[in-house]
Amino acid sequence: MDILRFITAGSVDDGKSTLIGRLLYDSKNILADQLEAVERASRPQENGIPDLALITDGLRAEREQGITIDVAYKYCATLKRKFIIIDAPGHVQYTRNMITGASNADLVIILVDARNGIQEQTRRHSLIASLLQIPHIVVAINKLDLTGYSQQVFEQIKSDYEGIARNLNLPTVTYIPISALQGDNIVHPSANLPWYTGKPLLEHLETVSLLNDEKPQPARFPVQYIIRPQTEQLHDYRGYAGRITSGSYRKGDSVTLLPSGYSSTITAIETDGAEVEEAFAPQSIVLRLADDLDISRGDLVVKPDEAPALSKELELLVCWIDHKPLTAGNSYLLQQHSNRVKCSVQEILYKLDVHNLEEQPADKAQLNEIVKIRVRTASPLAYDTYEQLSSNGRLILIDETSNLTAGAGIIRAATAL
Amino acid sequence: MADYSLDYLGQLESEAIHILREAAGQFERPALLFSGGKDSITLVHLALKAFRPGKFPFPLVHIDTGHNFPEALDFRDELAARIGEQLIVRKVEDTIKAKGLTENKGKFASRNALQTYTLLDTIAEFGFDACIGGARRDEEKARAKERIFSIRNEFGQWDPKLQRPELWNIFNGRIHKGENVRVFPISNWTELDIWHYIRREKIDLPSIYFAHEREVLQHQQQLIALSPFIRIDEGDQVQNRRVRYRTVGDMTCTAAVASEAVTIDDIINEITATATSERGETRIDDRVSEAAMEDRKRTGYF
């Protein structure tokens, strides 16, 4: 069995939390006591069903205000698949929390309120989905019960969204008409939507392909921790612990260490203290090498024929997630996997307008804005562009004085050393 | 070409090991909070996979409320001895005496809230900058919102409105002096995932997880073990029942479930068929209010 991680996105009050509540409720993934708790907490509803949004809105402030503030994770399973459900907030001010959820999603469900059509947040979340290259996109046109289950309304919104999808180069988008509140087309097909012939939402989620059928990826292994038992029997043992982020490694492979450029050979691959011949992403393993080299946390073990380039001049697309604005000239800690280097922002190249995707000049980036910047790092970074190899082309920027995570960035280009 | 795919347990395992190693790599003085329950036992198993043949880069720390099940304490000591790792035990009893704390009163008086004082004192005593714990997001709705690296202020408090964004699997554990981080490697595991993993890995557990005879008191549909820590009132009926524990907390606030499950397979079948959640069925401490867990976390609780 495999796991699908999906996130719900869209504007405030488009019904994201209700949708998740409905999915869990109709697929019988809510236990009796949890439902009782929700019933106790909910105000009486018209249709006798408890306020399903309360299943995910767990914080006091969320219940008080009836909104989602931070990401909630819910877990459910059907006979076909396990799901990690990421319920993200819709408010602009909580976009950074939405990005937190979206960064680990295989699929995004973008909800659109049938009465309101495409909103600014629909565009912003679609842009984020596009930048993060989330492989699967579902546009769920919700609250159709309030528009008389009109096919025309559905088709109009679909056609509007197709324009966005074209501009953002989104991969295949699946459009599903639903009413989360009434339970139409969530788990069961709906008699109210006879004109819709596609799958209900849950069936789509159960069957969408997660197989990575792209060509094999270059191997990347960031060192997280060095195991040195220093016991009598294991006096010279030195193991490099980490998680393979892409590709695979075999015992006997020649490898290059980056950024140092040293070469060596894999003498053993260990998992759970036992040797294996081969290991692949996303396994956590221990690598042992033939040579005693100066290797530390953050170094990258790669294969010489597919090694990434090194650079100290990178162009990043960054979503700013700190209240303190990003200013050209400021310096930050750049963290790529387990590797941290200092960097300074040389220039803000442009700010991306969420409405029309225009590139506008900017000298600052405020909270939740998306900018392209040029940074210079204190030491060379072994990089891939996010487009080529997302797991080695993503990073965060940390404000060294507040320690806060201030930016989420993807590498767009770089000047190789 | 070989099949380069991991099943879901393999994915969860690898993710948890990655998080444990990030904690080891980013902090000067981490600790692993160990309770003797199945989740922290699983965490220890994952730590063995993450750091062997080396030693753990952290001690195991147990905050002993004094109301623990003796079976869980014995198991704790045996496990620490078997794997040869350091175990630090600090007692709530001592904090109560030293600080003149007031204990809860009542039938099932719990030391759950007082635990936080001992935990924060222990963090200060050893200068721990990170505490690794076995909390899971499926347990409870406040936990469903917490990050994997959860930053706590110098009073150990969680502020749910000020959580750091956590992007991809890049963890930012940088903190100011006095702050600490709670690290939750099995955030994304469910109760059933834990049991399937325990079965796959053949992990030993304290005997109280399996069906056994026990003297219990029935109280509002919950079965509470007889112990010196609860008050027996007139009219209380003590019964001998065949029960097991679905979670292991304090004897005063953890209820048993009627069960015939003697093997892990039995337990998995039982949980698959149940209509009640883990904490809902067994935890008296969560029943205090709608936001009991959030409120405790805001005061420094795990």
Side-chain angles (χ1 to χ4, degrees), chain B residues 276-296:
Chain B
T276 318
S277 77
E278 189 179 11
R279 295 191 78 91
E281 187 168 50
T282 65
R283 288 303 175 97
I284 300 171
D285 43 333
D286 284 354
R287 299 200 154 188
V288 179
S289 81
E290 257 315 292
M293 178 66 84
E294 179 183 346
D295 294 346
R296 274 179 287 157

Side-chain angles (χ1 to χ4, degrees), chain A residues 156-342:
Chain A
Q156 182 59 51
I157 293 171
K158 178 179 172 192
S159 134
D160 292 347
Y161 195 88
E162 279 166 350
I164 297 178
R166 256 193 315 277
N167 288 340
L168 290 174
N169 271 324
L170 293 177
T172 331
V173 180
T174 305
Y175 300 87
I176 304 181
I178 60 166
S179 164
L181 191 67
Q182 306 297 337
D184 294 303
N185 222 4
I186 308 296
V187 172
H188 311 290
S190 169
N192 294 323
L193 298 160
W195 43 266
Y196 175 73
T197 53
K199 294 172 183 169
L201 180 63
L202 180 64
E203 194 183 333
H204 179 71
L205 298 175
E206 283 182 322
T207 51
V208 68
S209 170
L210 283 177
L211 291 177
N212 185 0
D213 43 20
E214 293 162 36
K215 54 184 188 305
Q217 293 185 319
R220 302 283 182 264
F221 177 84
V223 174
Q224 281 185 276
Y225 184 81
I226 294 157
I227 296 176
R228 290 178 62 217
Q230 292 176 302
T231 54
E232 219 160 285
Q233 297 126 320
L234 295 168
H235 193 264
D236 296 322
Y237 182 101
R238 203 179 248 272
Y240 303 99
R243 191 181 192 191
I244 303 173
T245 56
S246 58
S248 62
Y249 294 84
R250 287 191 81 86
K251 185 176 169 177
D253 278 348
S254 302
V255 290
T256 304
L257 281 304
L258 292 176
S260 66
Y262 298 134
S263 10
S264 190
T265 309
I266 297 177
T267 53
I269 301 175
E270 296 169 2
T271 62
D272 198 13
E275 269 202 47
V276 293
E277 279 301 303
E278 187 178 32
F280 52 88
Q283 284 183 310
S284 285
I285 58 163
V286 177
L287 276 189
R288 300 182 63 198
L289 301 178
D291 306 274
D292 243 342
L293 301 169
D294 176 12
I295 299 173
S296 41
R297 176 176 155 81
D299 287 357
L300 201 63
V301 182
V302 300
K303 297 181 188 171
D305 54 342
E306 52 182 34
L310 297 175
S311 173
K312 291 172 78 174
E313 290 268 347
L314 303 124
E315 280 183 17
L316 312 176
L317 206 54
V318 170
C319 181
W320 200 247
I321 50 182
D322 194 4
H323 289 278
K324 220 180 342 168
L326 163 75
T327 318
N330 277 6
S331 59
Y332 297 92
L333 270 181
L334 182 160
Q335 184 176 349
Q336 174 207 29
H337 46 81
S338 51
N339 180 33
R340 277 187 194 149
V341 298
K342 258 194 120 122

Side-chain angles (χ1 to χ4, degrees), chain A residues 32 60 62 75 82 278 282, chain B residues 4 14 145 168 188 193 275 295:
Chain A
R60 272 184 188 281
E62 292 178 326
Y75 303 82
K82 286 176 65 75
E278 187 178 32
Chain B
Y4 288 144
S14 180
K145 297 256 164 190
W168 301 290
N188 284 325
D193 295 335
D295 294 346

Side-chain angles (χ1 to χ4, degrees), chain B residues 4-297:
Chain B
Y4 288 144
S5 68
L6 280 183
D7 72 344
Y8 77 93
L9 283 179
Q11 290 180 37
L12 291 172
E13 177 190 64
S14 180
E15 178 180 284
I17 293 173
H18 175 252
I19 296 162
L20 282 165
R21 288 169 172 169
E22 279 305 287
Q26 292 200 27
F27 299 102
E28 305 264 326
R29 296 187 67 88
L32 190 150
L33 294 189
F34 183 78
S35 70
K38 66 181 189 317
D39 297 326
S40 58
I41 292 169
T42 299
L43 210 50
V44 168
H45 184 83
L46 289 162
L48 289 168
K49 291 203 175 199
F51 301 110
R52 286 295 185 253
K55 297 284 271 184
F56 287 0
F58 38 70
L60 309 181
V61 172
H62 183 227
I63 304 302
D64 183 349
T65 59
H67 291 174
N68 291 95
F69 287 91
E71 294 92 337
L73 294 181
D74 291 346
F75 188 91
R76 171 197 77 187
D77 295 340
E78 280 164 28
L79 178 67
R82 173 156 52 86
I83 62 176
E85 297 289 346
Q86 189 194 359
L87 171 69
I88 295 170
V89 178
R90 286 294 176 271
K91 296 184 188 242
V92 173
E93 187 77 46
D94 296 337
T95 318
I96 292 172
K97 280 186 191 142
K99 297 203 150 153
L101 302 180
T102 306
E103 287 211 63
N104 265 354
K105 297 201 172 58
K107 192 169 180 60
F108 305 114
S110 166
R111 285 179 169 174
N112 197 300
L114 298 183
Q115 233 176 306
T116 302
Y117 291 88
T118 314
L119 173 62
L120 297 180
D121 285 353
T122 310
I123 288 172
E125 178 186 350
F126 293 94
F128 293 133
D129 49 3
C131 293
I132 304 163
R136 310 188 325 264
R137 285 172 175 159
D138 80 322
E139 282 178 77
E140 202 281 330
K141 56 188 179 300
R143 287 196 162 154
K145 297 256 164 190
E146 197 164 6
R147 302 278 190 260
I148 289 172
F149 271 37
S150 179
I151 315 295
R152 302 299 180 91
N153 69 12
E154 59 182 313
F155 302 101
Q157 293 172 300
W158 180 52
D159 186 344
K161 279 191 171 179
L162 285 180
Q163 298 203 84
R164 279 183 195 172
E166 202 160 73
L167 281 301
W168 301 290
N169 49 11
I170 305 176
F171 298 103
N172 171 12
R174 278 178 64 95
I175 47 172
H176 294 290
K177 206 168 169 51
E179 294 174 336
N180 70 83
V181 179
R182 307 290 166 86
V183 177
F184 302 116
I186 55 171
S187 285
N188 284 325
W189 298 46
T190 64
E191 182 189 16
L192 265 177
D193 295 335
I194 293 283
W195 283 106
H196 281 288
Y197 189 70
I198 286 170
R199 175 165 70 182
R200 190 184 87 172
E201 300 287 313
K202 302 186 174 64
I203 299 173
D204 279 338
L205 291 179
S207 57
I208 56 174
Y209 278 107
F210 302 92
H212 57 282
E213 300 280 327
R214 188 180 282 269
E215 281 193 311
V216 293
L217 196 68
Q218 184 154 356
H219 180 77
Q220 295 172 356
Q221 289 141 35
Q222 294 194 310
L223 302 174
I224 316 292
L226 231 53
S227 73
F229 317 120
I230 65 168
R231 195 181 72 216
I232 314 265
D233 294 321
E234 215 172 305
D236 280 347
Q237 295 215 339
V238 175
Q239 321 166 1
N240 207 9
R241 294 282 294 270
R242 199 157 166 79
V243 298
R244 69 173 205 90
Y245 282 88
R246 198 168 160 193
T247 67
V248 171
D250 277 4
M251 295 190 83
T252 55
C253 65
T254 313
V257 295
S259 171
E260 293 293 332
V262 290
T263 66
I264 302 226
D265 285 340
D266 295 344
I267 291 173
I268 289 175
N269 290 335
E270 190 181 285
I271 296 171
T272 310
T274 186
T276 318
S277 77
E278 189 179 11
R279 295 191 78 91
E281 187 168 50
T282 65
R283 288 303 175 97
I284 300 171
D285 43 333
D286 284 354
R287 299 200 154 188
V288 179
S289 81
E290 257 315 292
M293 178 66 84
E294 179 183 346
D295 294 346
R296 274 179 287 157
K297 278 182 178 288

Side-chain angles (χ1 to χ4, degrees), chain A residues 25-37:
Chain A
Y25 183 76
D26 283 3
S27 62
K28 307 199 165 39
N29 271 291
I30 298 181
L31 296 167
D33 61 307
Q34 294 169 327
L35 194 61
E36 271 168 35

